[in-house]
Amino acid sequence: MYVYLMKNEKPLNEELIKRHVEYLKSLKSQGKLVLCGPFTDYPGGMVIFLAENLEEATDIAKADPFILSGCKTFEIRTLEHANEENNYLLEV
């Protein structure tokens, strides 16, 4: 699982926001989107998604209209999902 953290660089407009939402819907229809949204305490947002590897994850982030437009920059992070099913990653 991967996360791209976005930081605002330039103002957004309604058309760009619509293209970003369509992109997120596309990721959802491919079964890749896990969670997304803007931060309320920081100028940016994040997308949590599934990808085969870091190269694919980077390509997915770069294809986001927010990133393509230069209105946002991004950083990729790899996320290991801790939950009850995997004992929150605790090896016992």
Side-chain angles (χ1 to χ4, degrees):
M1 193 172 332
Y2 295 88
V3 178
Y4 62 95
L5 303 167
M6 295 179 285
K7 180 180 175 189
N8 295 357
E9 297 294 337
K10 299 177 187 174
L12 304 173
N13 61 50
E14 187 175 338
E15 179 58 34
L16 185 56
I17 294 167
K18 286 179 182 178
R19 290 194 341 249
H20 169 72
V21 169
E22 287 304 314
Y23 184 68
L24 295 174
K25 288 178 180 179
S26 168
L27 291 177
K28 175 81 173 166
S29 72
Q30 295 172 53
K32 293 183 183 288
L33 183 64
V34 176
L35 177 72
C36 62
F39 297 121
T40 59
D41 62 346
Y42 181 83
M46 73 174 185
V47 177
I48 300 174
F49 62 105
L50 303 173
E52 292 296 319
N53 52 47
L54 183 57
E55 181 179 357
E56 180 188 6
T58 302
D59 290 345
I60 287 171
K62 285 180 175 179
D64 186 318
F66 280 175
I67 306 303
L68 280 173
S69 69
C71 288
K72 294 183 185 269
T73 56
F74 75 97
E75 294 180 37
I76 291 275
R77 296 288 181 258
T78 303
L79 178 66
E80 190 168 1
H81 189 197
N83 58 36
E84 191 173 321
E85 293 171 1
N86 63 21
N87 199 29
Y88 297 91
L89 304 175
L90 190 65
E91 296 181 28
V92 191

